[in-house]
Amino acid sequence: MRRSDHLFTSESVSEGHPDKVCDQISDAILDAFMENDVKLGIADESRVNTRLGCETLCTTNKIIIAGEGRGQPPLFQKHGDKAVVNREIITEIARSMVKDIGYDQDGFSYYGADVEVLLHGQSPDIAIGVDAKKKKNGEEEGAGDQGMMFGFACMESEIYEKGSFMPAPIYFAHKILKVLAEKRRSGALFDLQPDAKSQVTIRYVDGRPVGCTKVVVSTQHNAQTRNGKKYTPGMVKEMIADAVESALPEGWMPKKASDFLVNPTGNFVIGGPDGDCGLTGRKIIVDTYGGYAPHGGGAFSGKDPTKVDRSAAYAARYLAKNVVAAGLAESCTIQIAYAIGVADPMSVLVDTHGTGKVDEAKLQKLLPELFPLRPTHIRRALKLNRPIYRRTATYGHFGRAPEEDGGFSWERTDLADVLRRSVR
C-alpha cells in the first residue's frame, strides 16, 4: 500500500525517441491495413479482416519491419498458395512516418535509411483459435493470446485537465514533452531535434499531489546555434525552461537549479535511432500509467484489436475510468485475464484501493454484465475496427480526449450514469 506522504516519479519519451519511432511505424502500418479493409468494405463494427503483429527495429540508417499478418490487396498479394506482403507500400509507410517525426539527419533520415520488410502471413495455428466461431450467442472470436491486462483511473489530474483521470506524475511527464514538441514543430524552439525524455517527481501529502520536487529533461539539439556558437547544457536549459514551466501548475516548477536537470550527461546532439537502437513495445510503462498502476506486460503497438493485450487493456481502462467518473471510487484498478482462443475471460478483479463507495464484489459482478469482456464485444463496443492507432503511439494511450472519428473511444465516460443507477 502506497504511503499517504511520499514521492513518486514517472517518465515519458517523445515521438522522436527510438522506441517510439518504432511504435509509430508499427501502428502506421496497422492503420494502413485497417483503412484498406474499410475501403474494401470488409470491416465494420461487427467484423475485421486484418490480423497483424508488426514489430519494428530502428538503428543507424536502418529500419527492419518484421512479424506476421493477414490482409487484402494491395497490402498482401497472392503468390502461389501464399500471401506475400507488398514491401514497397510498407517501405513508403515507414519513410513517411520518419519524415513526419522530423528525422532528416546524417545518421537517420527518412530518405536515406535502408528499409527491410520481413512481414509474412499469419500462422494458421493462431488464426484458427482467434477467428470467429458460431456459438449459441452468435459469432465470438477467441482471445488472440493468453495474458492479464490492467486498467486504472484516479482523480489526481482532474483539476488540471477535466476528463483525464490519470496519475499526476505521468500526466505531467507527457505534458512537458508535448509542449516541447509543439514548440519544435512551430519553430519557436527551432534548435531542438525530435529525441527527448522527461522525468517528473511529485510530492504527495495526505495522498494528494502538491508539487514537483525534481524535473529531468533530456532533449536532442543542434550542435550549434544559428550564430555558430556551440551549445552547452546550460544554454539548452535556458532555452527550454519557460516551456517546461508552462507545462506545470503554477508554483510547481522546482526553484533550485539542482532540482531541474537538463541533459545531465552533457550535450545531446547524436540522438534518435542513430544514438540508440529502438524497438516496438519497449515503452509499455510510458504507454500506460507511468508505473503508478500494474501492467500485464503486453505491448500495444502494431497489434490488431483481436489481440487482447491491446483491446482488453483498453476495455479495462474504460471500465476503471467509468467507475471513477461515476463517483463510485477515487481510484480503481481492474485486472482481466484470458486464454488464447477462448472468448470469455478467465478472471476479473476490481480493486478500489480503499476509496470505493460500493462493494468491490458487487462491481466485479456488475461490470462484465454491463460491458461483456469477450473480444468481439470489446471490439464492437469501442469501435476498434478503424485506422485510429498511430495517434496512440506517442504520449500515452490513456488520459486522452475521445475523438470524433472514434479515436481513444476507451476514454469515454458514457457508462458512468448507467453504473450510478445500477448500484442504487
Side-chain angles (χ1 to χ4, degrees):
M1 181 178 291
R2 197 173 286 119
R3 294 175 296 173
S4 60
D5 296 350
H6 63 278
L7 303 178
F8 195 91
T9 303
S10 292
E11 72 160 350
S12 181
V13 299
S14 73
E15 63 206 64
H17 185 279
D19 294 329
K20 279 290 146 197
V21 172
C22 294
D23 284 346
Q24 289 170 90
I25 291 173
S26 292
D27 271 339
I29 293 169
L30 173 60
D31 274 357
F33 274 72
M34 303 295 285
E35 186 174 10
N36 192 49
D37 283 355
V38 173
K39 286 179 179 177
L40 294 174
I42 55 175
D44 53 32
E45 292 180 12
S46 63
R47 59 197 172 117
V48 63
N49 173 75
T50 287
R51 298 288 185 269
L52 191 67
C54 180
E55 315 293 342
T56 303
L57 177 149
C58 290
T59 186
T60 302
N61 271 332
K62 182 75 174 182
I63 301 170
I64 299 173
I65 299 165
E68 71 290 330
R70 182 180 78 190
Q72 296 296 315
L75 291 163
F76 266 97
Q77 305 284 357
K78 278 288 186 181
H79 186 74
D81 60 348
K82 291 185 177 180
V84 178
V85 72
N86 189 318
R87 289 176 170 80
E88 289 75 19
I89 293 178
I90 301 301
T91 296
E92 183 55 34
I93 292 169
R95 292 196 190 282
S96 177
M97 190 73 263
V98 173
K99 182 178 182 180
D100 185 65
I101 293 167
Y103 276 114
D104 185 9
Q105 303 168 0
D106 290 341
F108 193 72
S109 71
Y110 67 92
Y111 63 88
D114 176 55
V115 182
E116 187 173 358
V117 180
L118 303 175
L119 279 170
H120 59 79
Q122 184 184 41
S123 162
D125 293 339
I126 294 176
I128 197 170
V130 177
D131 286 341
K133 302 172 183 177
K134 283 288 185 181
K135 296 190 176 181
K136 289 181 180 179
N137 58 347
E139 289 190 354
E140 290 296 345
E141 62 195 21
D145 203 351
Q146 71 174 45
M148 64 281 192
M149 297 81 209
F150 289 90
F152 177 76
C154 65
M155 293 294 295
E156 287 184 11
S157 62
E158 278 305 280
I159 62 173
Y160 310 111
E161 184 178 344
K162 190 170 178 57
S164 58
F165 293 96
M166 290 292 284
I170 189 66
Y171 172 83
F172 288 112
H174 286 324
K175 191 173 181 182
I176 286 170
L177 293 184
K178 283 191 276 189
V179 169
L180 291 177
E182 288 163 3
K183 291 185 177 296
R184 171 179 67 86
R185 287 178 174 274
S186 72
L189 293 176
F190 51 79
D191 276 341
L192 295 186
Q193 291 292 319
D195 194 0
K197 299 176 77 171
S198 66
Q199 186 171 284
V200 175
T201 301
I202 301 289
R203 179 182 296 282
Y204 287 77
V205 175
D206 293 329
R208 307 287 181 184
V210 298
C212 290
T213 62
K214 302 276 186 183
V215 174
V216 183
V217 178
S218 295
T219 181
Q220 188 186 13
H221 57 86
N222 292 337
Q224 297 179 334
T225 69
R226 296 194 177 184
N227 295 325
K229 190 173 182 180
K230 185 177 179 181
Y231 266 111
T232 65
M235 292 168 63
V236 177
K237 182 175 185 178
E238 183 178 357
M239 176 171 56
I240 70 170
D242 287 346
V244 172
E245 186 170 5
S246 73
L248 299 172
E250 185 176 355
W252 277 37
M253 185 72 171
K255 299 296 188 292
K256 292 183 181 178
S258 59
D259 292 336
F260 174 41
L261 305 177
V262 176
N263 292 355
T265 62
N267 284 345
F268 186 5
V269 174
I270 299 174
D274 187 30
D276 191 9
C277 181
L279 291 168
T280 297
R282 207 158 55 173
K283 285 292 175 283
I284 58 176
I285 301 303
V286 172
D287 283 344
T288 54
Y289 309 103
Y292 200 89
H295 191 293
F300 300 155
S301 291
K303 296 177 180 178
D304 74 80
T306 69
K307 295 172 174 58
V308 285
D309 37 6
R310 183 169 211 162
S311 57
Y314 291 169
R317 161 66 177 178
Y318 173 71
L319 292 179
K321 184 173 183 178
N322 276 273
V323 167
V324 177
L328 305 182
E330 290 190 10
S331 176
C332 181
T333 298
I334 292 177
Q335 187 208 47
I336 314 168
Y338 291 89
I340 188 169
V342 180
D344 290 310
M346 300 292 100
S347 65
V348 178
L349 174 71
V350 177
D351 183 357
T352 54
H353 312 284
T355 70
K357 299 177 182 178
V358 177
D359 182 65
E360 291 165 334
K362 185 174 183 178
L363 286 174
Q364 213 160 274
K365 182 176 183 296
L366 177 63
L367 290 173
E369 292 174 355
L370 295 177
F371 189 90
L373 291 166
R374 296 183 296 274
T376 305
H377 180 266
I378 292 172
R379 193 166 41 72
R380 290 173 178 169
L382 297 181
K383 304 184 188 302
L384 300 181
N385 298 345
R386 305 180 184 196
I388 56 171
Y389 295 102
R390 182 252 160 164
R391 69 193 78 169
T392 69
T394 51
Y395 310 116
H397 293 243
F398 309 125
R400 313 282 288 271
E403 298 176 347
E404 290 186 5
D405 67 351
F408 300 102
S409 59
W410 49 94
E411 293 295 309
R412 302 187 317 242
T413 54
D414 53 344
L415 196 65
D417 286 343
V418 178
L419 271 171
R420 275 192 292 264
R421 292 195 300 269
S422 299
V423 298
R424 286 175 184 168

